Amino acid sequence: MSASSPFDSDPVFGFRSPVSSDPRALPALYRIASLTSATDDPRTALREMLALFVDVFRADAGSIGLISPDSRRLETEVQVGTTSESGVSQGLKLGHGITGWCVLNQRSLLVADVTFEPRYIAVRASARCEMAAPIQSGDNIIGVIDLESDRIGGFTPADLKLLEQFAAEAARVMERLWQLGHLKAKARQLESLITAGQSLVSKLEQQELFDTLTREARHMMQAQACALYLHSPDTGTVRCASLTAGSATPPPAGELPIDSCLVASPIHTRHQVWFEDIQSPEYRELLDLPADPALRSVLASPMLFEGEVLGVVALFTNHIHRFDNDEKRLCAALASLGSVALQNARLYARVFQSEDVLRKNERLTTLGLLAAEIAHEIRNPLTVLKLLQGGLGLDFPEGDPRRTDMRVIGEKLDQLEAIVTRVLSFAKAPSSLHSRWSIADIIEDTLLLVRLKLAQSKVIVSFDAPARLYFVDAHKGQIQQVLLNLLLNATQAMPEGGTITLAVTPEDRPGAHFLCIDISDTGTGVADDLRERIFDSFLSGRPDGTGLGLAIAKRILLSHHGDITLLQTSPAGTTMRLTLPIAK
């Protein structure tokens, strides 16, 4: 210790406190400071400190109380003997009793004889002397140390000064332990948030997603209950889609008018809203609150996606609780994860629906092509029949029934020809639907449609748009149908995931310029016995395949004056090539 310094400093514990000539000071202060490395539990540290204080001052009873951040009352954390103040364990108002006075006035107090002290609240009949010192961190009072003696004058002013030193070091120890606990809690929450995010984005069935979100949020926040409400802006209603609670509490049923619900506030303001006590009379008429009298405080976080409120995540506690900024940020992050996962699930459902529609369209297209082929085959013999019928030169006189028969035969032949012509015309893609399109835009729009399907199948797509813009005169929907069919076929050829590469290159041919679109995968390749016939109708290498996709693709490309070919295939992968004429 330096004679010119008013402080003692310890290089191991970082201890620093005012100099005291009391021989009890240094050993006790070391023991208090060492608690930061001996335990990470603040309550255990408080218990050890109180036992030390009682021993050093030979007290008959003692307690340490902390100010509750929720109720702003002084609540007993640890005690030896009977509690020194009546009602402290339930929460003592600041200013009440000796300890409450010390906290309110931020001063320590020594009462040599409590018999003549009006602020003293008698609990122990044998108590005669009491001293208390506030535990202060900076300008904030966090608690108080209270000691009692059964002897009048059992504590001295020197004891009070030493207790003040102990209180100052106790404040530093508690701050360190709370900071450590806070960091550990944040680490656990971050880990839980990452785990919850991974779990949420993998849920494609919406109800499973809702239940997972409320379960993870309740567990992460240690809440009594968590509910998810879906918002329907078209009808102005909300619906409780999931409720996870500590008790068997049924969720509010049905579509509820938003103006009669608690969650109307976060939906309208698009911000988190905290409700202190939903058991208050003004909340009793709200329709969306779970029927559980144990629920008290609520933090409601809107689920926002691109400015739209998809729903609300509501966390319920079983006590009056003021949510701090960290808790609000964590709840907001959970709500954001939930909104993204919900939007993904909805988009994925649309992709599956689109895929089903495409499959149905394939069948309808094939039926149309088959009808066109049949009509084409009928047209030839029909033309022969008309020519032969006209060349017979049969002209029966008036009144002869055969004259009527010949007229009817001619009319029916004309009718059949008209039907065949309509079928053939219907089977052709109307030229009015052909437009000038950028091939890069068509490919990128198609990849956007199947991005969720590819992501779920663990398929990575590589497509670098050509440096120059190339345009084709095409029916965009039909070209997209071809690309979708090839992409889905490639995905099914890679059940464990893989890579699809798309490349666009120009090719000059005599009298024309074409684009080559190569689609390569890392699948298992096409079976040897199917390679020469893969464009035949009703030929498929999969048990669930229709065998129509490539046949339809072939017809579509040919109708666009292009083609589709199997460029190469092997156990290492397959490359299909589409060719289309470049628009002038």
Side-chain angles (χ1 to χ4, degrees), residues 241-275:
S242 178
L243 173 66
T244 302
S247 58
T249 304
E255 299 287 339
L256 308 173
I258 191 171
D259 292 334
S260 301
C261 296
L262 185 79
V263 297
S265 181
I267 290 175
H268 291 322
T269 63
R270 287 176 163 77
H271 289 92
Q272 285 181 319
V273 181
W274 169 64
F275 302 93

Side-chain angles (χ1 to χ4, degrees), residues 473-535:
D473 186 16
H475 185 300
K476 182 181 179 182
Q478 290 185 343
I479 300 302
Q480 281 190 318
Q481 182 179 346
V482 172
L483 290 171
L484 282 170
N485 187 273
L486 294 178
L487 290 170
L488 294 174
N489 284 350
T491 301
Q492 289 160 348
M494 300 181 291
E496 302 301 323
T499 303
I500 297 177
T501 304
L502 291 93
V504 177
T505 56
E507 180 181 290
D508 292 333
R509 297 181 183 178
H513 303 285
F514 283 81
L515 281 180
C516 296
I517 306 165
D518 292 343
I519 302 176
S520 305
D521 63 55
T522 56
T524 55
V526 180
D528 293 340
D529 58 333
L530 298 179
R531 293 179 184 179
E532 300 300 325
R533 300 180 294 122
I534 60 171
F535 298 109

Side-chain angles (χ1 to χ4, degrees), residues 9-208:
S9 179
D10 179 77
V12 177
F13 299 107
F15 162 73
R16 190 170 177 82
S17 67
V19 170
S20 174
S21 59
D22 195 318
R24 300 173 294 177
L26 195 56
L29 288 170
Y30 267 108
R31 285 183 59 186
I32 296 171
S34 66
L35 289 173
T36 56
S37 58
T39 180
D40 57 1
D41 178 24
R43 194 177 185 85
T44 300
L46 288 174
R47 193 177 296 112
E48 293 288 334
M49 285 190 282
L50 181 59
L52 174 64
F53 302 154
V54 169
D55 180 60
V56 168
F57 296 107
R58 301 187 183 280
D60 295 296
S63 67
I64 296 179
L66 300 179
I67 298 176
S68 169
D70 294 324
S71 64
R72 301 303 299 169
R73 288 172 173 256
L74 190 61
E75 298 181 354
T76 298
E77 292 294 320
V78 293
Q79 60 185 11
V80 174
T82 305
T83 182
S84 59
E85 298 276 348
S86 175
V88 172
S89 59
Q90 291 77 30
L92 184 69
K93 291 183 178 180
L94 304 188
H96 287 203
I98 291 176
T99 53
W101 183 91
C102 289
V103 171
L104 184 64
N105 293 276
Q106 301 187 16
R107 292 173 53 191
S108 56
L109 182 65
L110 170 62
V111 180
D113 187 353
V114 297
T115 306
F116 303 101
E117 175 55 59
R119 290 169 291 195
Y120 176 68
I121 299 175
V123 175
R124 297 175 64 252
S126 59
R128 292 294 179 267
C129 182
E130 182 175 359
M131 67 174 175
I135 304 173
Q136 187 166 355
S137 175
D139 295 331
N140 298 321
I141 301 293
I142 61 177
V144 64
I145 303 170
D146 180 67
L147 297 175
E148 288 185 351
S149 173
D150 291 345
R151 295 172 289 108
I152 295 176
F155 303 123
T156 66
D159 290 334
L160 185 62
K161 280 195 169 296
L162 185 57
L163 184 61
E164 290 173 348
Q165 288 187 359
F166 292 168
E169 187 61 26
R172 284 189 283 270
V173 169
M174 295 307 297
E175 284 290 336
R176 294 190 193 105
L177 292 177
W178 283 335
Q179 288 174 359
L180 179 62
H182 182 75
L183 290 174
K184 289 183 176 179
K186 293 298 122 186
R188 287 193 299 270
Q189 288 176 346
L190 179 59
E191 183 179 356
S192 299
L193 188 61
I194 294 172
T195 303
Q198 292 172 339
S199 176
L200 289 174
V201 297
S202 66
K203 306 299 181 187
L204 301 178
E205 198 278 317
Q206 292 192 24
Q207 189 58 51
E208 185 181 5

Side-chain angles (χ1 to χ4, degrees), residues 7 39 43 51 128-129 141 153 161 165 171 176 185 221 224 232 269 304 327 389 392 395 424 434 506 517:
F7 294 93
T39 180
R43 194 177 185 85
R128 292 294 179 267
C129 182
I141 301 293
K161 280 195 169 296
Q165 288 187 359
R176 294 190 193 105
M221 300 299 297
Q224 176 69 14
S232 299
T269 63
L304 294 170
E327 291 172 321
Q389 189 259 353
L392 289 176
D395 188 15
L424 290 173
H434 285 236
I517 306 165

Side-chain angles (χ1 to χ4, degrees), residues 278-300:
I278 59 173
Q279 298 304 324
S280 301
E282 62 266 28
Y283 295 98
R284 289 175 184 166
E285 301 301 322
L286 296 176
L287 303 177
D288 58 333
L289 294 179
D292 185 352
L295 304 181
R296 302 298 295 272
S297 294
V298 182
L299 180 63

Side-chain angles (χ1 to χ4, degrees), residues 119 162 167 181 198 203 205 213 235 277 321 415 433 467 568:
R119 290 169 291 195
L162 185 57
Q198 292 172 339
K203 306 299 181 187
E205 198 278 317
L213 178 59
T235 60
D277 187 4
H321 179 66
Q415 185 179 356
L433 296 180
Q568 69 83 25

